[in-house]
C-alpha cells in the first residue's frame, strides 16, 4: 500500500523541536529555555519583557544545558537584578550573563550544577563533582554571585539531592535527598538543615514513599508532594514534620516523575493560594485554596501542562499543550482569566489543524487494563484496514501524554495510525500502576504492548498483518524484547535502545546505575539471560531499524550495535544507523530529519 501524500515533511518535524521549558516569571517578565535544532541542537534562554517583546539572551555558541544526572534539568536562575546565571553545556561551568550580554564564569571546571536558586548574593544549587572515573560526590552548595571565592558546601552525605529551597527568614534550607538503589519515584525524604547550627533532620518520606517538591509556606511550615496515599498529593507540614495535613486528597497525581531537576508542579500565588497541576494521565491546571481544600480548574485552551509552574502575583506561567496546539509558554491571569501564549514550540509552517490527529484515551483490556492514546489515521477515502505503529515511551518510569506532536501527524496524514501506550510502570496513574513493572521489566511492558496490538486488530482498527512498534531508550528495550517474544509485530524501530543488561549496569551513568535492580533484580546472569533482548534475539523474525547516537552516555552505542550484529548473523533484515555528535535523544535538525526519513522508508517497505 503506497502512503498518501502529506503536507508534513521530515524537515517540518525536525524544525518543530524547539521545546520551550523551565519558565520563570517575575515583575512582569518571563524567562524560559528553548532548544534550537537548526543551531546544532543548542539551548538558548529567552525573555519576554513587560512590553510584550521576546528576546533571545544567549547567543551562539553558548548552550544552556546542565548534565547533572546526565538528564539535566533547569539550567538557569534569575538574579534580583534580572540577570541570568546559567550552566554551559561544553564545560558545565556556571556563568553570569550580565546586562552587556557577555557571560562571566563563576565556577571552575570539574563539576556540574543544577536546580539553581539565587538568594542573598549567592547561587544555591545541587553540585555533582566528577573525575575521569565518574561521579565523586553530590552536595548542595552556594556559589558567590560576584565570582569571588569557591563554592561552599551546605549539605552533603547523601547520594542525590534535589529541590533546594531557603526559608523566607534565611534560617533553614529544605531539600529532597535519597540514596542508591532508590530512584526518586521510589523512595525519597524531605530534610531541613539549620543554616545557623548545621543540624539536619528528616521531615517526611522513606524507602517506600516518594516525597517531592518542598516549598515554604512561611518560616515554620512547608508544602510538599507525597505518594504515601498511593497518589502524588499535596501536603502541608511543620518544620520538623509535625502536623502533616493533606491539602486536597484525591486519587489523582499532583506531580510527575522527576527525571530532570528543577521543576515545581505547583506555585504559591500572591494571595496564598496555590496554582496546581493534577489529574490522571495529562495534568490540568487549577487553583487550590490550602485552607479549605477547594480546587477550581482554570479554563484554558490546553489539555495538559508540563510539571514546572511559576507564579508572579495573581498570574501563573507554565508550558501548556493540546492535541492541536503546539507546546507553548503561556501565562494565565487569574483575575481576568486571560491566557497569553508567549512562544509556541513549533517553528515555521504548521499544517491545517484539520489534519492533526486528536487522540482518544483508551483502556486496553487484558490481565490488567493498560492506558493508551489512540491516534487514528487521517482518512478522506480509503478501503480496508490501515497500518498502525505502536509508540513506546522511554523511562520506563515516564508517561506518554496527548500533546501536539508533529511526528505523529507525520504518520497519520500518510494513512498510518498511532497507538501511544502507557504500559504498566508508567506515571500518571498512581503508585500501584508504577509498581506493576517492579522486577518485571521485559515482561509486563512487553505483555502490555502485545495486548495493545492485539486489541487494535480485534477492534477492527488496524490490519493485523501491518502493525509495527517503535520506541526510544527504555522504549527501545521494549521494542526489541517484544520482537523477540512475539510475532504480532511486522517490524520494529529502536532509537538508542537497551539490548543487554550486564553492559548497561557496568557502563551507564550513576543516576541509573542501580535502576536495573528495581526493574529486574540484583545482577544475575541467569536472570538477565531470560530478560534481555540480546540473549533472546533468536526469537526475532521481523525486520528491524536501529538508530543510535555515538556520543550517548546513558545507553552506550554498543547496545544497538551488538543487537544489529546478532540479527545480521541470523540473516534477519536489519538496518543500523549511527549518528556522530548525537547523545541520548537526537537534537540536531539534520539528524532528526535523516532518522525520520529512514523510519518512513522502513514502514513503506514493511507495509507495502
Amino acid at each position: 500500500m503506497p502512503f498518501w501524500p502529506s503536507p508534513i515533511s521530515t524537515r517540518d518535524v525536525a524544525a518543530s523541536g524547539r521545546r520551550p521549558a523551565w519558565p520563570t516569571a517575575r515583575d512582569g517578565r518571563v524567562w524560559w529555555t528553548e532548544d534550537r535544532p537548526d543551531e546544532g541542537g543548542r539551548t538558548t534562554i529567552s525573555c519576554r519583557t513587560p512590553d510584550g517583546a521576546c528576546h533571545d539572551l544567549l547567543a551562539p555558541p553558548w548552550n544552556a544545558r546542565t548534565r547533572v544526572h546526565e538528564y539535566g534539568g533547569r539550567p538557569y536562575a534569575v538574579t534580583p537584578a534580572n540577570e541570568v546565571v546559567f550552566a554551559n553545556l561544553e564545560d558545565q561551568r556556571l556563568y553570569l550573563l550580565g546586562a552587556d550580554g557577555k557571560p562571566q564564569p563563576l565556577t571552575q571546571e570539574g563539576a556540574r550544577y543544577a536546580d539553581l536558586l539565587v538568594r542573598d548574593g549567592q547561587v544555591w544549587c545541587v553540585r555533582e563533582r566528577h573525575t575521569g572515573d565518574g561521579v565523586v560526590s553530590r552536595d548542595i552548595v552556594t556559589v558567590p554571585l560576584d565570582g569571588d571565592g569557591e563554592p561552599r558546601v551546605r549539605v552533603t552525605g547523601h547520594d542525590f539531592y534535589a529541590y533546594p529551597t531557603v526559608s523566607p527568614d534565611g534560617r533553614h534550607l529544605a531539600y529532597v535527598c535519597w540514596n542508591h538503589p532508590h530512584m526518586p519515584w521510589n523512595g525519597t525524604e524531605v530534610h531541613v538543615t539549620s543554616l545557623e547550627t548545621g543540624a539536619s533532620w528528616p521531615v517526611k518520606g522513606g524507602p517506600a514513599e516518594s516525597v517531592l517538591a518542598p516549598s515554604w509556606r512561611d518560616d515554620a511550615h512547608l508544602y510538599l508532594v507525597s505518594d504515601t496515599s498511593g497518589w502524588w498529593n499535596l501536603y502541608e507540614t511543620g518544620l520538623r514534620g509535625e502536623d502533616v495535613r493533606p491539602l486536597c486528597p484525591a486519587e489523582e497525581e499532583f506531580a510527575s516523575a522527576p527525571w530532570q531537576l528543577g521543576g515545581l508542579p505547583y506555585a504559591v500565588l500572591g494571595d496564598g493560594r496555590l496554582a496546581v497541576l493534577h489529574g490522571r494521565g495529562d495534568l490540568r491546571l487549577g487553583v487550590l485554596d490550602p485552607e479549605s481544600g477547594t480546587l477550581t480548574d482554570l479554563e484554558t485552551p490546553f489539555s495538559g501542562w508540563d510539571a514546572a509552574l511559576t507564579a508572579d502575583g495573581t498570574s501563573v506561567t507554565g508550558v501548556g499543550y493540546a492535541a492541536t496546539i503546539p507546546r507553548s509558554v503561556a501565562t494565565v491571569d487569574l483575575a481576568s482569566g486571560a491566557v497569553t501564549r508567549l512562544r509556541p514550540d513549533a517553528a515555521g509552517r504548521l499544517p491545517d489543524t484539520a489534519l492533526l490527529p486528536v487522540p482518544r484515551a483508551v483502556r486496553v483490556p487484558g490481565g490488567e487494563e493498560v492506558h493508551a492514546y489512540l491516534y487514528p489515521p487521517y482518512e478522506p477515502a480509503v478501503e480496508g484496514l490501515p497500518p498502525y505503529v505502536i509508540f513506546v515511551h522511554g523511562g520506563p518510569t515516564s508517561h506518554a501524554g496527548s500533546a501536539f506532536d508533529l511526528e505523529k501527524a507525520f504518520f497519520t496524514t500518510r494513512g498510518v495510525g498511532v497507538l501511544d501506550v502507557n504500559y504498566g510502570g508508567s506515571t500518571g496513574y498512581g503508585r500501584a500502576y508504577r509498581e506493576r513493572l517492579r522486577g518485571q521489566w521485559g515482561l509486563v511492558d512487553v505483555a502490555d504492548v502485545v495486548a495493545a496490538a492485539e486489541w487494535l486488530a480485534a477492534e477492527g482498527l488496524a490490519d493485523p498483518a501491518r502493525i509495527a512498534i517503535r520506541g526510544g531508550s527504555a522504549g527501545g528495550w521494549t521494542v526489541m524484547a517484544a520482537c523477540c517474544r512475539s510475532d504480532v509485530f511486522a517490524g520494529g524501530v529502536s532509537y538508542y535502545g537497551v539490548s543487554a543488561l550486564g553492559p548497561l549496569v557496568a557502563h551507564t551513568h550513576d543516576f541509573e546505575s542501580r535502576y536495573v535492580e528495581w526493574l529486574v533484580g540484583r545482577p544475575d546472569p541467569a536472570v538477565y539471560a531470560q530478560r534481555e533482548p540480546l540473549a533472546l534475539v533468536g526469537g526475532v523474525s521481523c525486520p528491524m531499524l536501529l538508530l543510535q547516537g555515538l556520543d550517548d552516555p546513558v545507553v552506550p552505542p554498543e547496545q544497538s550495535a551488538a543487537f544489529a550484529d546478532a540479527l545480521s548473523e541470523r540473516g534477519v533484515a536489519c538496518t543500523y544507523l549511527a549518528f556522530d555528535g548525537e547523545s541520548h535523544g537526537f537534537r540536531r535538525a539534520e539528524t532528526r530529519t535523516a532518522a525520520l526519513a529512514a523510519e518512513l522508508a522502513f514502514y513503506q517497505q514493511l507495509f507495502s
Side-chain angles (χ1 to χ4, degrees), residues 176-179 182-191 204-212 225 232 258 431:
V176 170
C177 55
W178 69 97
N179 293 314
H182 298 298
M183 300 298 285
W185 43 85
N186 300 142
T188 61
E189 295 181 347
V190 166
H191 282 215
K204 188 167 175 53
E209 180 183 359
S210 173
V211 187
L212 310 172
V225 175
W232 273 316
R431 182 161 185 136

Side-chain angles (χ1 to χ4, degrees), residues 88-132:
N88 183 51
L89 176 63
E90 183 178 2
D91 56 14
Q92 288 299 288
R93 299 170 72 181
L94 289 182
Y95 288 82
L96 175 65
L97 182 65
D100 60 0
K102 297 179 180 179
Q104 300 298 321
L106 299 180
T107 60
Q108 301 299 315
E109 293 189 50
R112 304 173 183 180
Y113 303 87
D115 235 345
L116 312 181
L117 165 72
V118 176
R119 174 78 183 266
D120 300 327
Q122 302 175 98
V123 184
W124 297 74
C125 53
V126 175
R127 179 180 67 173
E128 184 180 84
R129 291 193 297 159
H130 284 249
T131 66

Side-chain angles (χ1 to χ4, degrees), residues 489-511:
F489 297 107
V493 178
S494 168
Y495 283 77
Y496 33 87
V498 176
S499 69
L501 295 173
L504 178 71
V505 171
H507 300 294
T508 196
H509 58 122
D510 184 64
F511 176 63

Side-chain angles (χ1 to χ4, degrees), residues 125-126 138-142 152-155 161 164 173 175:
C125 53
V126 175
R138 294 184 185 87
D139 40 35
I140 295 176
V141 302
T142 50
R152 177 185 173 185
V153 176
R154 298 294 187 150
V155 177
Y161 292 95
L173 173 71
Y175 50 91

Side-chain angles (χ1 to χ4, degrees), residues 6 33 48 94 97 128 163 242 313 346 351 425 438 508 567:
S6 169
T33 63
R48 184 181 190 269
L94 289 182
L97 182 65
E128 184 180 84
Y163 303 104
E242 72 278 14
R438 185 172 189 170
T508 196
L567 289 175

Side-chain angles (χ1 to χ4, degrees), residues 1-4 376-379 381-389 414-418 453-468 606-608:
M1 178 193 100
F3 285 4
W4 306 328
Y378 181 70
E379 298 177 311
V382 71
E383 295 183 2
L385 296 175
Y388 259 79
V389 178
R414 287 171 166 80
V416 179
V418 170
E454 293 173 341
W455 175 81
L456 281 172
E459 291 292 308
L461 297 171
D463 182 344
R466 294 188 296 162
I467 300 176
L606 198 67
F607 296 149
S608 62

Side-chain angles (χ1 to χ4, degrees), residues 20 38 45 60 96 142 144 218 405 414 551 557 577 590 601:
D38 57 346
I45 300 171
L96 175 65
T142 50
D218 52 42
D405 186 347
R414 287 171 166 80
D551 293 342
L577 299 178
E590 58 269 28

Side-chain angles (χ1 to χ4, degrees), residues 66-403:
T66 171
R67 288 185 58 190
V68 172
H69 297 178
E70 292 301 346
Y71 294 113
R74 183 188 297 271
Y76 78 98
V78 180
T79 75
N82 292 333
E83 296 177 324
V84 171
V85 177
F86 72 96
N88 183 51
L89 176 63
E90 183 178 2
D91 56 14
Q92 288 299 288
R93 299 170 72 181
L94 289 182
Y95 288 82
L96 175 65
L97 182 65
D100 60 0
K102 297 179 180 179
Q104 300 298 321
L106 299 180
T107 60
Q108 301 299 315
E109 293 189 50
R112 304 173 183 180
Y113 303 87
D115 235 345
L116 312 181
L117 165 72
V118 176
R119 174 78 183 266
D120 300 327
Q122 302 175 98
V123 184
W124 297 74
C125 53
V126 175
R127 179 180 67 173
E128 184 180 84
R129 291 193 297 159
H130 284 249
T131 66
D133 296 325
V135 176
V136 174
S137 66
R138 294 184 185 87
D139 40 35
I140 295 176
V141 302
T142 50
V143 176
L145 196 57
D146 60 8
D148 185 16
E150 295 296 315
R152 177 185 173 185
V153 176
R154 298 294 187 150
V155 177
T156 191
H158 290 274
D159 292 334
F160 299 97
Y161 292 95
Y163 303 104
T165 178
V166 181
S167 60
D169 61 10
R171 296 175 59 195
H172 295 96
L173 173 71
Y175 50 91
V176 170
C177 55
W178 69 97
N179 293 314
H180 282 307
H182 298 298
M183 300 298 285
W185 43 85
N186 300 142
T188 61
E189 295 181 347
V190 166
H191 282 215
V192 168
T193 293
S194 168
L195 297 176
E196 297 172 337
T197 68
S200 299
W201 55 89
V203 172
K204 188 167 175 53
E209 180 183 359
S210 173
V211 187
L212 310 172
S215 67
W216 294 92
R217 171 174 177 161
D218 52 42
D219 293 332
H221 297 87
L222 286 161
Y223 295 126
L224 51 81
V225 175
S226 168
D227 70 353
T228 187
S229 69
W231 299 84
W232 273 316
N233 280 191
L234 273 161
Y235 293 80
E236 180 189 304
T237 178
L239 183 64
R240 295 186 176 271
E242 72 278 14
D243 301 325
V244 177
R245 180 174 68 92
L247 299 184
C248 184
E251 291 189 349
E252 294 185 333
E253 303 283 42
F254 284 70
S256 59
W259 278 98
Q260 295 182 301
L261 296 173
L264 203 63
Y266 64 94
V268 181
L269 299 165
D271 59 9
R273 293 180 300 164
L274 305 179
V276 302
L277 300 175
H278 70 106
R280 294 192 183 191
D282 292 326
L283 301 180
R284 58 191 182 275
L285 180 63
V287 175
L288 173 64
D289 184 331
E291 297 302 328
S292 66
T294 302
L295 176 58
T296 305
D297 284 343
L298 297 174
E299 293 293 331
T300 77
F302 306 111
S303 60
W305 295 75
D306 291 351
L309 296 181
T310 177
D312 183 14
T314 60
S315 68
V316 58
T317 299
V319 177
Y321 58 79
T324 58
I325 302 176
R327 183 173 262 104
S328 307
V329 181
T331 294
V332 182
D333 186 300
L334 302 185
S336 66
V339 179
T340 304
R341 293 173 61 193
L342 309 186
R343 184 80 68 91
D345 174 14
R349 181 177 59 87
L350 290 176
D352 186 332
T353 55
L355 295 174
L356 298 176
V358 177
R360 175 166 62 95
V362 299
R363 295 186 181 184
V364 175
E368 294 196 40
E369 282 190 333
V370 180
H371 298 274
Y373 288 101
L374 180 71
Y375 297 79
Y378 181 70
E379 298 177 311
V382 71
E383 295 183 2
L385 296 175
Y388 259 79
V389 178
I390 302 286
F391 275 41
V392 189
H393 66 70
T397 310
S398 189
H399 177 258
S402 63

